Amino acid sequence: MGLPWYRVHTVVLNDPGRLISVHIMHTALVAGWAGSMALYELAVFDPSDPVLDPMWRQGMFVIPFMTRLGITNSWGGWSITGGTIANPGIWSYEGVAGAHIVFSGLCFLAAIWHWVYWDLEIFCDERTGKPSLDLPKIFGIHLFLSGLACFGFGAFHVTGLYGPGIWVSDPYGLTGKVQSVNPAWGVEGFDPFVSGGIASHHIAAGTLGILAGLFHLVSARLNVYTKDYVWAILKPSCPVVSLLSFLQLLLLLELCGMVRQTTPIELFGPTRYQWDQGYFQQEIYRRVGAGLAENQSLSEAWGIIPSGSMDSGDGIAVGWLGHPIFRDKEGRELFVRRMPTFFETFPVVLVDGDGIVRADVPFRRAESKYSVEQVGVTVEFYGGELNGVSYSDPATVKKYARRAQLGEIFELDRATLKSDGVFRSSPRGWFTFGHASFALLFFFGHIWHGARTLFRDVFAGIDPDLDAQVEFGTFQKIGDPTTRRQVV
């Protein structure tokens, strides 16, 4: 009989050569996608304005990953930090993309070779001549090599001893650049905002992996694992791994949306926590207050450029209009209530310094008491292109109040990208969504395979007596072996 559609992977059951083949092919697909996606993003990426139009505003996904590992230059002669480069070297954005594509092709060829030459002597027990795998040895080899790569990344690449270092920035994303990092071996190494923890953790984990790999390679374990022994090991481990996978999901949902040294905001964009808590707004007001304390004018104090939103939605930011300050007819300074995270529409509400509502844009104008017209709200800009310009026309004031719900106000080019005004997620959002999806898949995958392990006789799906049970005419009642027809 044919295999059910959900049992097609049985073709690699007890076939190590072709099991290796499908895994190599999977690696080829992943590496090929990464290289191809990098080339596509480089084709559409505009590096001309790293301040107003950084990579995360342009929706780049793989370029941030390359940049945080130390790639900043392009064969096109530009640098991610601005300016031009005369000699970008082989490890540019294009060089890394090309290396992934070449690696993908080599893996593709290797997968074909292992699929054709599947019956290798290495998969046979030299004592009995029967197919068998020395799983402790295989595990030791993989653990040793992965530990070596992990140790090398932390000890050489991150520290700059033999490599570029990694992207390091400040909490406000103002001073980011690639630099070497010294390992942090104290308690501070566990702080997600300390870059030294990246180096020290990779060195420690790599050392542990190397030692554990060597242990499995040189241990005097003469027996090889049989299939039944593997099942016996998997039975208690699957529930544990399922729990760890679930915990991983919770951690990723929390951590991937937060700023850490591994996901700098210049590359992946700001987080929802920074918006909800007014993180940048508080710092901007602190700096403005410091400027006013030094006897600067409002225009001088507000001569700063904050961040913006996504290109495909609002358009390309080409200039900052300035910081709008709203006032009522009594001279009180009013603040626009910003739109919370996950909202697409929100009432326009202006509050004073004490949080008391002083003006709004009402839904029912006949019953309004705090409308812009009634309160006499005006707006004046400080810094930016509209520095010193004020408006008292209610329609114009309401227009800028609506735009102030989304933070600072920019002049936006909507025509170039045909921007449609729809809110879009940043690369950080996709990063979080992707990891959450994979964590769920891993979690349910471990539940599935744990159930297969515990109830493999029920869930195998391939019963040697299945042919006889469903053969037409064998039983009076199909599938009921107690109703076998008597041969006349």
Side-chain angles (χ1 to χ4, degrees), residues 285-367:
Y285 278 113
R286 187 193 67 78
R287 296 190 180 200
V288 170
L292 294 177
E294 296 174 359
N295 295 323
Q296 293 181 357
S297 66
L298 278 173
S299 298
E300 293 171 335
W302 280 105
I304 53 180
I305 300 179
S307 58
S309 49
M310 299 299 291
D311 283 357
S312 298
D314 287 339
I316 303 172
V318 295
W320 178 48
L321 297 185
H323 179 73
I325 292 185
F326 298 87
R327 294 184 177 89
D328 59 15
K329 56 188 176 183
E330 298 179 5
R332 282 186 294 246
E333 183 177 349
L334 305 180
F335 304 89
V336 177
R337 174 69 167 87
R338 299 191 305 167
M339 188 179 297
T341 311
F342 302 128
F343 280 69
E344 294 188 359
T345 59
F346 197 73
V348 180
V349 178
L350 292 90
V351 299
D352 61 13
D354 297 323
I356 301 174
V357 176
R358 297 294 182 179
D360 62 14
V361 177
F363 288 115
R364 297 181 179 181
R365 288 181 292 178
E367 301 177 7

Side-chain angles (χ1 to χ4, degrees), residues 178-430:
V178 173
Q179 64 185 59
S180 58
V181 175
N182 293 324
W185 296 109
V187 179
E188 69 277 5
F190 293 95
D191 188 337
F193 299 98
V194 175
S195 301
I198 300 174
S200 57
H201 278 77
H202 277 87
I203 293 173
T207 302
L208 181 62
I210 291 172
L211 295 176
L214 291 174
F215 168 78
H216 283 279
L217 286 173
V218 303
S219 60
R221 178 171 296 185
L222 299 178
N223 65 304
V224 293
Y225 284 9
T226 62
K227 187 171 68 173
D228 290 335
Y229 192 27
V230 173
W231 287 125
I233 293 175
L234 288 178
K235 281 182 180 180
S237 66
C238 278
V240 176
V241 177
S242 299
L243 176 62
L244 293 177
S245 181
F246 183 71
L247 293 176
Q248 177 197 25
L249 168 62
L250 297 179
L251 288 173
L252 283 168
L253 287 175
E254 180 67 18
L255 292 179
C256 285
M258 297 177 65
V259 171
R260 296 170 293 165
Q261 286 298 331
T262 54
T263 54
I265 58 176
E266 304 100 309
L267 311 182
F268 294 89
T271 73
R272 55 159 297 198
Y273 301 99
Q274 290 174 323
W275 175 258
D276 288 340
Q277 297 173 5
Y279 184 74
F280 296 106
Q281 187 183 47
Q282 293 179 28
E283 176 64 13
I284 289 173
Y285 278 113
R286 187 193 67 78
R287 296 190 180 200
V288 170
L292 294 177
E294 296 174 359
N295 295 323
Q296 293 181 357
S297 66
L298 278 173
S299 298
E300 293 171 335
W302 280 105
I304 53 180
I305 300 179
S307 58
S309 49
M310 299 299 291
D311 283 357
S312 298
D314 287 339
I316 303 172
V318 295
W320 178 48
L321 297 185
H323 179 73
I325 292 185
F326 298 87
R327 294 184 177 89
D328 59 15
K329 56 188 176 183
E330 298 179 5
R332 282 186 294 246
E333 183 177 349
L334 305 180
F335 304 89
V336 177
R337 174 69 167 87
R338 299 191 305 167
M339 188 179 297
T341 311
F342 302 128
F343 280 69
E344 294 188 359
T345 59
F346 197 73
V348 180
V349 178
L350 292 90
V351 299
D352 61 13
D354 297 323
I356 301 174
V357 176
R358 297 294 182 179
D360 62 14
V361 177
F363 288 115
R364 297 181 179 181
R365 288 181 292 178
E367 301 177 7
S368 67
K369 298 179 180 179
Y370 300 101
S371 68
V372 170
E373 293 85 352
Q374 289 172 298
V375 178
V377 179
T378 61
V379 60
E380 185 173 1
F381 285 87
Y382 295 92
E385 298 177 4
L386 296 181
N387 181 37
V389 179
S390 62
Y391 297 96
S392 58
D393 174 46
T396 305
V397 172
K398 286 187 282 189
K399 178 184 74 171
Y400 287 120
R402 289 190 184 94
R403 296 184 63 180
Q405 285 184 309
L406 302 177
E408 295 294 327
I409 303 175
F410 289 87
E411 179 185 355
L412 300 167
D413 173 14
R414 299 177 182 271
T416 300
L417 300 177
K418 297 181 174 60
S419 304
D420 52 17
V422 177
F423 289 132
R424 283 174 167 78
S425 178
S426 69
R428 185 183 300 276
W430 285 109

